[in-house]
Amino acid sequence: MLELNVEIRGEPTLVPPAEDTIEKGNLYFLSNIDNFPLKITTVYCYQPTENEGNIEEEKLVEVLKSSLSKVLVHYYPLAGRLTTDSEGRLVVDCTDEGAVFVEAKAHCTIQEIGDDTVAMAELVYESPAAKNIIEVPPLAAQVPPFLDRSILRARNPPKIEFPHHEYASIEDVSNTDDIYNENIIYKSFCFEYEKIQKLKMAAMEDGVVDKCSTFEVVSAFIWKSRTQALKLRYDQRVKYVLVVDGRLRFDPPLPENYFGNGVVITSPAYVPGRELAIFCPNPKEKNVIDVLLSFPASSMKIFEELMNI
């Protein structure tokens, strides 16, 4: 893991909207999909243009602050604070307080960090005063938003139409707790076009299926290899959970530029889960997929051997 030296310059500041927003003083509705008490951190990297590369750092910081304040006029919920309404639901209090802005400098290049997600986490500012999700200021940057999240308001009364395996609890008969006391290793695996085609041929050679998608075959291969790497018992039930972008899958589809969580969790089968596998298109080559995941150290060694096909 790369040792990052991140220098925080000055104190964190609040950047308020450039002008009063249309919902200042009101509570902003959050759908059930938004109401997961979970904080997700992301890092966005931007290559400066030739002109931007010559701008003095102080001027660049002021440009970013000015741009952020203008964006927050349209994305006003991100300038507010999380709270709860009279029913105990998470909502956003549109206070126009602003987004937290921190100036920092990492004494390395993005290329040096690569796909080291543990090191990259050092680039994310954590609010030291926040004791829970309510006290974490929301912040994001996206395209012009469709702000009405009430279109995903739950039915009243609720109507459950099929089993939700994604929320089922599963007994750990393989006693994997001990192995997860080991050091956790993060690594990226590259699936080139030739490897993907080889996996597809192997999946179809017995004639049970006559076609399979790249996602299906890579997911199945990782699932099978994971089971072997963790040395799970043959009678161990595990849960294979997919995170799906539902924006185009809702009926009717969500509006373009919907500003809210449109991601849903699905579980197609009982098959245990503490790892998260992230599928990313390779930025340099077409038909290549990078899969980022983590394992306990001893299991990662086995998993790496299984990847050599």
Side-chain angles (χ1 to χ4, degrees):
M1 185 187 80
L2 177 67
E3 292 290 335
L4 274 188
N5 179 18
V6 179
E7 175 190 350
I8 302 293
R9 298 183 170 183
E11 294 294 323
T13 59
L14 286 177
V15 177
E19 58 189 70
D20 285 349
T21 63
I22 59 174
E23 291 292 331
K24 184 176 180 179
N26 295 329
L27 296 182
Y28 180 71
F29 175 84
L30 297 176
S31 73
N32 283 354
I33 301 179
D34 294 316
N35 261 269
F36 287 121
L38 176 68
K39 178 169 65 72
I40 297 177
T41 57
T42 57
V43 176
Y44 297 93
C45 304
Y46 298 94
Q47 181 71 34
T49 64
E50 185 175 342
N51 291 334
E52 291 171 335
N54 296 324
I55 298 178
E56 296 178 7
E57 288 185 4
E58 290 184 3
K59 291 183 179 179
L60 182 59
V61 169
E62 291 307 313
V63 169
L64 291 172
K65 283 185 176 180
S66 176
S67 301
L68 177 58
S69 68
K70 294 175 183 178
V71 166
L72 289 174
V73 174
H74 304 283
Y75 288 86
Y76 54 84
L78 300 175
R81 294 296 179 266
L82 287 172
T83 186
T84 54
D85 62 13
S86 58
E87 298 178 355
R89 289 176 51 87
L90 275 178
V91 294
V92 178
D93 186 1
C94 297
T95 61
D96 281 5
E97 289 179 57
V100 176
F101 187 94
V102 181
E103 182 187 354
K105 184 172 183 177
H107 298 275
C108 68
T109 65
I110 292 297
Q111 288 74 18
E112 289 178 278
I113 298 176
D115 59 9
D116 189 340
T117 55
V118 176
M120 196 173 292
E122 297 297 320
L123 300 177
V124 178
Y125 176 75
E126 297 285 351
S127 178
K131 302 181 180 63
N132 53 58
I133 192 70
I134 295 290
E135 299 178 6
V136 177
L139 172 64
Q142 302 179 33
V143 293
F146 180 90
L147 290 166
D148 184 10
R149 301 193 187 194
S150 64
I151 60 175
L152 288 182
R153 190 185 297 272
R155 290 172 292 195
N156 188 15
K159 185 178 180 182
I160 302 174
E161 298 180 325
F162 50 86
H164 286 272
H165 299 305
E166 62 270 30
Y167 299 114
S169 59
I170 297 175
E171 182 183 0
D172 181 15
V173 298
S174 300
N175 297 318
T176 58
D177 283 344
D178 289 342
I179 197 171
Y180 280 99
N181 289 326
E182 297 179 10
N183 186 34
I184 302 298
I185 306 297
Y186 297 82
K187 190 166 183 179
S188 178
F189 295 88
C190 181
F191 286 80
E192 303 90 351
Y193 175 80
E194 293 75 14
K195 180 181 286 189
I196 294 172
Q197 295 307 307
K198 187 175 181 180
L199 288 173
K200 287 184 178 181
M201 292 179 63
M204 296 184 290
E205 65 182 359
D206 59 4
V208 175
V209 295
D210 56 5
K211 63 178 181 179
C212 54
S213 70
T214 296
F215 178 76
E216 289 170 337
V217 74
V218 174
S219 299
F221 180 64
I222 290 176
W223 171 15
K224 179 181 178 181
S225 300
R226 175 188 178 277
T227 303
Q228 293 174 282
L230 291 174
K231 299 180 180 179
L232 301 181
R233 284 176 40 166
Y234 74 93
D235 58 344
Q236 174 68 65
R237 290 197 308 171
V238 302
K239 189 187 299 181
Y240 185 35
V241 175
L242 303 177
V243 179
V244 178
D245 184 355
R247 284 168 171 76
L248 297 178
R249 292 175 170 83
F250 286 103
D251 186 16
L254 293 179
E256 186 178 3
N257 300 329
Y258 172 71
F259 177 62
N261 187 7
V263 172
V264 294
I265 299 174
T266 65
S267 181
Y270 279 114
V271 239
R274 304 193 193 186
E275 292 85 19
L276 173 67
I278 302 176
F279 289 63
C280 307
N282 189 287
K284 297 181 180 179
E285 298 182 51
K286 290 184 177 180
N287 302 318
V288 174
I289 295 177
D290 292 326
V291 180
L292 177 66
L293 42 71
S294 62
F295 276 106
S298 62
S299 296
M300 180 61 83
K301 185 176 181 180
I302 299 173
F303 189 84
E304 288 176 326
E305 295 173 352
L306 295 170
M307 291 295 104
N308 295 321
I309 60 171

